[in-house]
Amino acid sequence: MRERPPIPDLDLQENIREIRERVESAAEKSGRSFKDISIMAVTKTVPPQRVNQAIMCGISLLGENRVQEYLEKYPFYEKEDCSVHFIGRLQTNKVRYIVDKIDMVESVDSLRLAQELEKRCALAGKRMDILLEVNIGAEPTKSGVLQENLPELIQAVAVLPHLRLSGLMAIPPLGGKENAYYFSKMHDLFLDIQAKKIDNSDVRFLSMGMSNDFETAIACGANIVRLGTILFGKRK
């Protein structure tokens, strides 16, 4: 039986309190409310006990970057009331290990990956929500579909019955307020896809913004923000 985590330390409690205040303020400035924004705890390199403490403080969405790390931590998570999204680069040969352990893949950037997810979801008897990751800055070192290739990928994904296109994800090139340009471009893409009423889709989520720019992302329309350092502290 898993041990219950100790009472969360004061630093973690204070980090989460401050994050909530900042998210609420940014949401109100954008004409929305706190409940419209999902705060994702990015758990890369964070021990499961500390993740469980964050869950005790009300965090209900986890973001996993690495398949092997997630598989090692998965048995120790107190995640009965949590959703888990995979947000890292996902190799097709790793899909089968996690398809039954996640609720969404935010980092779908190719038809090949989508087809593997379709195959594994069909075998598992489940339907998977996915986000398409857009390389909005066209950076050669980053994953993500280029903006000009996004319509073709959307059309290909729309015919896969065990996947449901639920929105877009991006990691822009810069940090801080400078990312407003890229965030705004992503929001325009998001609204355009919503308006097209694509088959086999329920486009609701725009995942963008991290510890150093999440308020800017919210101002530009994000409704999932992915927070690691500001929540758990600097990684070792």
Side-chain angles (χ1 to χ4, degrees):
M1 179 179 291
R2 291 174 293 187
E3 296 182 2
R4 294 294 298 174
I7 299 300
D9 63 65
L10 293 179
D11 286 344
L12 184 59
Q13 293 183 55
E14 177 61 21
N15 289 349
I16 293 174
R17 185 197 62 78
E18 181 180 339
I19 287 167
R20 285 178 171 152
E21 288 183 355
R22 291 173 63 180
V23 167
E24 183 173 19
S25 176
E28 289 177 353
K29 289 176 183 177
S30 70
R32 293 176 290 166
S33 69
F34 176 79
K35 70 178 186 300
D36 296 322
I37 314 298
S38 295
I39 298 171
M40 175 189 290
V42 177
T43 63
K44 183 170 65 174
T45 75
V46 180
Q49 184 182 63
R50 190 158 174 81
V51 175
N52 289 338
Q53 291 178 9
I55 294 170
M56 289 179 65
C57 291
I59 293 294
S60 59
L61 177 59
L62 308 181
E64 294 292 328
N65 288 82
R66 300 167 177 166
V67 171
Q68 187 58 43
E69 180 183 347
Y70 179 45
L71 293 176
E72 291 171 358
K73 296 194 295 187
Y74 176 81
F76 303 100
Y77 278 169
E78 299 283 350
K79 55 179 173 32
E80 288 77 9
D81 298 318
C82 270
S83 292
V84 181
H85 293 188
F86 194 84
I87 61 174
R89 183 172 290 184
L90 181 56
Q91 297 173 306
T92 55
N93 64 350
K94 300 288 182 66
V95 169
R96 66 182 184 273
Y97 298 116
I98 63 165
V99 73
D100 62 333
K101 298 177 178 64
I102 54 175
D103 301 293
M104 180 185 290
V105 178
E106 295 197 7
S107 50
V108 176
D109 62 354
S110 69
L111 178 57
R112 183 167 175 259
L113 176 56
Q115 289 173 331
E116 182 64 20
L117 282 165
E118 166 67 24
K119 172 185 172 183
R120 296 297 172 180
C121 286
L123 291 171
K126 70 179 292 184
R127 194 178 189 199
M128 177 79 73
D129 290 312
I130 65 167
L131 306 186
L132 298 183
E133 181 180 0
V134 181
N135 187 344
I136 194 64
E139 297 176 275
T141 58
K142 283 186 180 176
S143 57
V145 60
L146 295 176
Q147 181 177 342
E148 57 266 30
N149 298 330
L150 181 60
E152 181 181 358
L153 182 57
I154 289 172
Q155 289 182 350
V157 168
V159 301
L160 301 176
H162 292 88
L163 303 185
R164 176 170 46 221
L165 175 59
S166 298
L168 301 175
M169 185 265 259
I171 306 173
L174 305 172
K177 295 180 180 179
E178 295 86 349
N179 267 340
Y181 168 75
Y182 296 104
F183 289 148
S184 295
K185 287 181 69 175
M186 284 298 304
H187 190 235
D188 289 343
L189 289 174
F190 175 75
L191 293 177
D192 182 61
I193 295 169
Q194 271 191 330
K196 289 179 178 176
K197 306 292 184 183
I198 297 161
D199 290 342
N200 200 28
S201 71
D202 182 17
V203 179
R204 296 176 293 143
F205 300 113
L206 181 57
S207 175
M208 58 186 192
M210 297 186 287
S211 291
N212 62 344
D213 58 12
F214 69 93
E215 288 157 307
T216 303
I218 292 171
C220 295
N223 53 25
I224 297 177
V225 291
R226 309 183 303 270
L227 308 181
T229 300
I230 194 174
L231 199 162
F232 293 113
K234 291 185 178 180
R235 297 185 179 96
K236 295 181 180 180

